[in-house]
Amino acid sequence: MIVTIDRLGHLGHGIAQGPIYVPGTLPGEVVEGTPDGDRLADPKIVTPSPNRVKPPCRHARACGGCQLQHASEPFVAAWKQEVVANALAGQGLSTDFLPLVTSPPNSRRRATLSARRTKSGVLIGFHARASDTIAEIPDCQLLHPGILAAFPGLQALVMAGGSRTTELSLQVTLTRGGPDVVVTGGKPLDANLRLDLARLVETHSFSRLTWDGETIALRDRPALTMGTATVVPPAGAFLQATREGEAALLHAVRQALGPQKRIVDLFSGVGTFTLPLAQDMEVHAVEGDAAMTKALDVAARNTPNLHRISTETRDLFRRPLEPDELLTFTGAVIDPPRAGAEAQTDRLAASKIPVIAAVSCNPVTFARDARALVAAGYRLDWIQVVDQFRWSTHIELVARLSR
């Protein structure tokens, strides 16, 4: 069968009429293969797209960590903006787009890796495409060199506390004190394993090791810099994946807010936006996770020359801030999880806050929430797309909404 790819789906697969899904292809390409349900088995590109490039990573074909290494950077940028524009159009919205910002190669400072013991040693990497198989990535073009340098230590952890029958998950975050490692799926802890793991933390200069929810060793503070503040996040806490992506999001949030006196930061996490913004304005930070709220509060109290920061632990899905609680704020930042923040958005729509900087990692739920705000009298002024997860289909954005 020969097909022509019409478009890319949200997972980055090429889609031909049928629909027929062909991973690793681009719009306009003519592809030949054997039909296998709604896919082509063993696809061969007959006519390549002018937007096709040689993948920069030698693991691109086997590894499922990246979906779009075969596409040129301008194509990916245009496609990601188009995904956002289409999500908006589905809600009857449109706006101007600021130029997209892409994180550079080898910039991922936070990643979740899969690992397993084997007959010959240890396997660490990302899953292969649509598979439980782990693809090794010794010279990954995505990960920060600091994470790649931690692989010998990670292998030692898996050798000590892993098995050949179960897969481990290794969340690694680069911090000023060294890699902060969170392991799930490991062997049950006993006295000998605890001692072995603690020794490995020291040997390989990890800052902290958390094993199935329990802190095993704290060699050094797993500290991060946010603005002028030093934050020690709880193990496994949400953080932006790259420093460059975090800086781009913060720049867009500042641009959206403009000069402010007192703002509310909803879903504040450990202070990604709160702490830098407090250099110029008062901030009330609201977060549902008590450990993250505590980390933010400690950082705020230990950082001089900031405007007042107040913190509140509150489930914004079940108990959003009400319009009367929002009366004293001149601006708002909202950065919800992928599901969006329907309940809190409804309360914002009923408020009188003049300007909102909305941050999102899901164009579909963002467009839904933006529609509610626009229906209540807000104007969607612009959107800044940030490609923090380079070569992936993941999209992040900042939008300015004002009354």
Side-chain angles (χ1 to χ4, degrees), residues 144-164:
H144 189 284
I147 291 184
L148 294 175
F151 268 44
L154 298 175
Q155 290 168 344
L157 289 179
V158 176
M159 184 62 73
S163 74
R164 290 169 56 186

PDB file of all heavy atoms in Angstrom, residues 144-164:
ATOM      1  N   HIS A 144      20.910  16.546  30.053  1.00  0.00           N
ATOM      2  CA  HIS A 144      22.030  17.382  30.470  1.00  0.00           C
ATOM      3  C   HIS A 144      23.239  16.488  30.745  1.00  0.00           C
ATOM      4  O   HIS A 144      23.088  15.361  31.266  1.00  0.00           O
ATOM      5  CB  HIS A 144      21.643  18.155  31.728  1.00  0.00           C
ATOM      6  CG  HIS A 144      22.605  19.209  32.140  1.00  0.00           C
ATOM      7  ND1 HIS A 144      23.807  18.919  32.764  1.00  0.00           N
ATOM      8  CD2 HIS A 144      22.569  20.567  32.025  1.00  0.00           C
ATOM      9  CE1 HIS A 144      24.447  20.032  33.024  1.00  0.00           C
ATOM     10  NE2 HIS A 144      23.728  21.051  32.580  1.00  0.00           N
ATOM     11  N   PRO A 145      24.449  16.949  30.429  1.00  0.00           N
ATOM     12  CA  PRO A 145      25.640  16.140  30.712  1.00  0.00           C
ATOM     13  C   PRO A 145      25.740  15.701  32.172  1.00  0.00           C
ATOM     14  O   PRO A 145      26.289  14.633  32.468  1.00  0.00           O
ATOM     15  CB  PRO A 145      26.794  17.069  30.335  1.00  0.00           C
ATOM     16  CG  PRO A 145      26.227  17.979  29.300  1.00  0.00           C
ATOM     17  CD  PRO A 145      24.788  18.181  29.685  1.00  0.00           C
ATOM     18  N   GLY A 146      25.204  16.498  33.077  1.00  0.00           N
ATOM     19  CA  GLY A 146      25.242  16.122  34.486  1.00  0.00           C
ATOM     20  C   GLY A 146      24.436  14.878  34.789  1.00  0.00           C
ATOM     21  O   GLY A 146      24.789  14.094  35.674  1.00  0.00           O
ATOM     22  N   ILE A 147      23.327  14.684  34.065  1.00  0.00           N
ATOM     23  CA  ILE A 147      22.548  13.456  34.249  1.00  0.00           C
ATOM     24  C   ILE A 147      23.270  12.280  33.614  1.00  0.00           C
ATOM     25  O   ILE A 147      23.348  11.188  34.191  1.00  0.00           O
ATOM     26  CB  ILE A 147      21.133  13.618  33.665  1.00  0.00           C
ATOM     27  CG1 ILE A 147      20.324  14.617  34.510  1.00  0.00           C
ATOM     28  CG2 ILE A 147      20.413  12.264  33.612  1.00  0.00           C
ATOM     29  CD1 ILE A 147      18.889  14.779  34.077  1.00  0.00           C
ATOM     30  N   LEU A 148      23.827  12.488  32.426  1.00  0.00           N
ATOM     31  CA  LEU A 148      24.577  11.408  31.778  1.00  0.00           C
ATOM     32  C   LEU A 148      25.760  10.974  32.643  1.00  0.00           C
ATOM     33  O   LEU A 148      26.080   9.783  32.730  1.00  0.00           O
ATOM     34  CB  LEU A 148      25.056  11.853  30.400  1.00  0.00           C
ATOM     35  CG  LEU A 148      23.955  12.115  29.355  1.00  0.00           C
ATOM     36  CD1 LEU A 148      24.560  12.672  28.076  1.00  0.00           C
ATOM     37  CD2 LEU A 148      23.180  10.832  29.069  1.00  0.00           C
ATOM     38  N   ALA A 149      26.400  11.942  33.294  1.00  0.00           N
ATOM     39  CA  ALA A 149      27.541  11.615  34.159  1.00  0.00           C
ATOM     40  C   ALA A 149      27.123  10.808  35.381  1.00  0.00           C
ATOM     41  O   ALA A 149      27.957  10.150  36.013  1.00  0.00           O
ATOM     42  CB  ALA A 149      28.245  12.898  34.594  1.00  0.00           C
ATOM     43  N   ALA A 150      25.829  10.865  35.724  1.00  0.00           N
ATOM     44  CA  ALA A 150      25.335  10.134  36.897  1.00  0.00           C
ATOM     45  C   ALA A 150      25.022   8.675  36.587  1.00  0.00           C
ATOM     46  O   ALA A 150      24.714   7.904  37.507  1.00  0.00           O
ATOM     47  CB  ALA A 150      24.086  10.819  37.446  1.00  0.00           C
ATOM     48  N   PHE A 151      25.099   8.261  35.321  1.00  0.00           N
ATOM     49  CA  PHE A 151      24.692   6.900  34.941  1.00  0.00           C
ATOM     50  C   PHE A 151      25.477   5.814  35.688  1.00  0.00           C
ATOM     51  O   PHE A 151      24.880   4.819  36.108  1.00  0.00           O
ATOM     52  CB  PHE A 151      24.805   6.718  33.427  1.00  0.00           C
ATOM     53  CG  PHE A 151      23.521   7.036  32.696  1.00  0.00           C
ATOM     54  CD1 PHE A 151      22.786   8.156  33.014  1.00  0.00           C
ATOM     55  CD2 PHE A 151      23.060   6.213  31.681  1.00  0.00           C
ATOM     56  CE1 PHE A 151      21.605   8.465  32.353  1.00  0.00           C
ATOM     57  CE2 PHE A 151      21.880   6.505  31.013  1.00  0.00           C
ATOM     58  CZ  PHE A 151      21.149   7.629  31.349  1.00  0.00           C
ATOM     59  N   PRO A 152      26.810   5.932  35.862  1.00  0.00           N
ATOM     60  CA  PRO A 152      27.499   4.882  36.617  1.00  0.00           C
ATOM     61  C   PRO A 152      26.937   4.705  38.029  1.00  0.00           C
ATOM     62  O   PRO A 152      26.783   3.573  38.506  1.00  0.00           O
ATOM     63  CB  PRO A 152      28.945   5.374  36.644  1.00  0.00           C
ATOM     64  CG  PRO A 152      29.078   6.200  35.417  1.00  0.00           C
ATOM     65  CD  PRO A 152      27.759   6.894  35.274  1.00  0.00           C
ATOM     66  N   GLY A 153      26.611   5.806  38.688  1.00  0.00           N
ATOM     67  CA  GLY A 153      26.014   5.713  40.014  1.00  0.00           C
ATOM     68  C   GLY A 153      24.623   5.113  39.973  1.00  0.00           C
ATOM     69  O   GLY A 153      24.245   4.320  40.846  1.00  0.00           O
ATOM     70  N   LEU A 154      23.842   5.488  38.969  1.00  0.00           N
ATOM     71  CA  LEU A 154      22.501   4.924  38.824  1.00  0.00           C
ATOM     72  C   LEU A 154      22.576   3.424  38.560  1.00  0.00           C
ATOM     73  O   LEU A 154      21.781   2.641  39.104  1.00  0.00           O
ATOM     74  CB  LEU A 154      21.760   5.624  37.680  1.00  0.00           C
ATOM     75  CG  LEU A 154      21.522   7.129  37.837  1.00  0.00           C
ATOM     76  CD1 LEU A 154      20.885   7.708  36.585  1.00  0.00           C
ATOM     77  CD2 LEU A 154      20.663   7.428  39.066  1.00  0.00           C
ATOM     78  N   GLN A 155      23.526   3.015  37.739  1.00  0.00           N
ATOM     79  CA  GLN A 155      23.704   1.584  37.476  1.00  0.00           C
ATOM     80  C   GLN A 155      24.051   0.834  38.758  1.00  0.00           C
ATOM     81  O   GLN A 155      23.549  -0.278  39.002  1.00  0.00           O
ATOM     82  CB  GLN A 155      24.793   1.394  36.424  1.00  0.00           C
ATOM     83  CG  GLN A 155      24.381   1.856  35.033  1.00  0.00           C
ATOM     84  CD  GLN A 155      25.551   1.941  34.066  1.00  0.00           C
ATOM     85  OE1 GLN A 155      26.716   1.943  34.478  1.00  0.00           O
ATOM     86  NE2 GLN A 155      25.253   2.033  32.776  1.00  0.00           N
ATOM     87  N   ALA A 156      24.883   1.452  39.584  1.00  0.00           N
ATOM     88  CA  ALA A 156      25.250   0.819  40.853  1.00  0.00           C
ATOM     89  C   ALA A 156      24.029   0.689  41.772  1.00  0.00           C
ATOM     90  O   ALA A 156      23.862  -0.331  42.460  1.00  0.00           O
ATOM     91  CB  ALA A 156      26.353   1.614  41.541  1.00  0.00           C
ATOM     92  N   LEU A 157      23.167   1.699  41.790  1.00  0.00           N
ATOM     93  CA  LEU A 157      21.934   1.629  42.582  1.00  0.00           C
ATOM     94  C   LEU A 157      21.048   0.485  42.121  1.00  0.00           C
ATOM     95  O   LEU A 157      20.496  -0.267  42.931  1.00  0.00           O
ATOM     96  CB  LEU A 157      21.159   2.942  42.483  1.00  0.00           C
ATOM     97  CG  LEU A 157      21.718   4.181  43.176  1.00  0.00           C
ATOM     98  CD1 LEU A 157      20.793   5.365  42.933  1.00  0.00           C
ATOM     99  CD2 LEU A 157      21.888   3.948  44.668  1.00  0.00           C
ATOM    100  N   VAL A 158      20.896   0.362  40.800  1.00  0.00           N
ATOM    101  CA  VAL A 158      20.035  -0.688  40.252  1.00  0.00           C
ATOM    102  C   VAL A 158      20.635  -2.067  40.535  1.00  0.00           C
ATOM    103  O   VAL A 158      19.914  -3.017  40.868  1.00  0.00           O
ATOM    104  CB  VAL A 158      19.833  -0.481  38.738  1.00  0.00           C
ATOM    105  CG1 VAL A 158      19.024  -1.621  38.139  1.00  0.00           C
ATOM    106  CG2 VAL A 158      19.135   0.850  38.468  1.00  0.00           C
ATOM    107  N   MET A 159      21.951  -2.184  40.423  1.00  0.00           N
ATOM    108  CA  MET A 159      22.603  -3.459  40.715  1.00  0.00           C
ATOM    109  C   MET A 159      22.384  -3.859  42.175  1.00  0.00           C
ATOM    110  O   MET A 159      22.165  -5.034  42.499  1.00  0.00           O
ATOM    111  CB  MET A 159      24.103  -3.360  40.406  1.00  0.00           C
ATOM    112  CG  MET A 159      24.846  -4.673  40.576  1.00  0.00           C
ATOM    113  SD  MET A 159      24.274  -5.975  39.453  1.00  0.00           S
ATOM    114  CE  MET A 159      24.960  -5.384  37.893  1.00  0.00           C
ATOM    115  N   ALA A 160      22.418  -2.866  43.067  1.00  0.00           N
ATOM    116  CA  ALA A 160      22.259  -3.164  44.497  1.00  0.00           C
ATOM    117  C   ALA A 160      20.810  -3.430  44.877  1.00  0.00           C
ATOM    118  O   ALA A 160      20.539  -4.309  45.708  1.00  0.00           O
ATOM    119  CB  ALA A 160      22.799  -1.998  45.329  1.00  0.00           C
ATOM    120  N   GLY A 161      19.883  -2.671  44.276  1.00  0.00           N
ATOM    121  CA  GLY A 161      18.504  -2.738  44.758  1.00  0.00           C
ATOM    122  C   GLY A 161      17.467  -3.096  43.721  1.00  0.00           C
ATOM    123  O   GLY A 161      16.267  -2.991  43.991  1.00  0.00           O
ATOM    124  N   GLY A 162      17.898  -3.532  42.534  1.00  0.00           N
ATOM    125  CA  GLY A 162      16.962  -3.917  41.503  1.00  0.00           C
ATOM    126  C   GLY A 162      16.915  -5.416  41.320  1.00  0.00           C
ATOM    127  O   GLY A 162      17.648  -6.165  41.965  1.00  0.00           O
ATOM    128  N   SER A 163      16.034  -5.863  40.428  1.00  0.00           N
ATOM    129  CA  SER A 163      15.947  -7.292  40.131  1.00  0.00           C
ATOM    130  C   SER A 163      15.699  -7.468  38.636  1.00  0.00           C
ATOM    131  O   SER A 163      15.387  -6.512  37.924  1.00  0.00           O
ATOM    132  CB  SER A 163      14.806  -7.939  40.926  1.00  0.00           C
ATOM    133  OG  SER A 163      13.546  -7.575  40.382  1.00  0.00           O
ATOM    134  N   ARG A 164      15.840  -8.696  38.172  1.00  0.00           N
ATOM    135  CA  ARG A 164      15.618  -8.977  36.753  1.00  0.00           C
ATOM    136  C   ARG A 164      14.149  -9.164  36.433  1.00  0.00           C
ATOM    137  O   ARG A 164      13.780  -9.282  35.264  1.00  0.00           O
ATOM    138  CB  ARG A 164      16.423 -10.218  36.351  1.00  0.00           C
ATOM    139  CG  ARG A 164      17.932  -9.976  36.323  1.00  0.00           C
ATOM    140  CD  ARG A 164      18.722 -11.252  36.189  1.00  0.00           C
ATOM    141  NE  ARG A 164      18.329 -12.017  35.014  1.00  0.00           N
ATOM    142  CZ  ARG A 164      18.788 -13.235  34.719  1.00  0.00           C
ATOM    143  NH1 ARG A 164      19.658 -13.820  35.539  1.00  0.00           N
ATOM    144  NH2 ARG A 164      18.380 -13.855  33.639  1.00  0.00           N
TER     145      ARG A 164
END
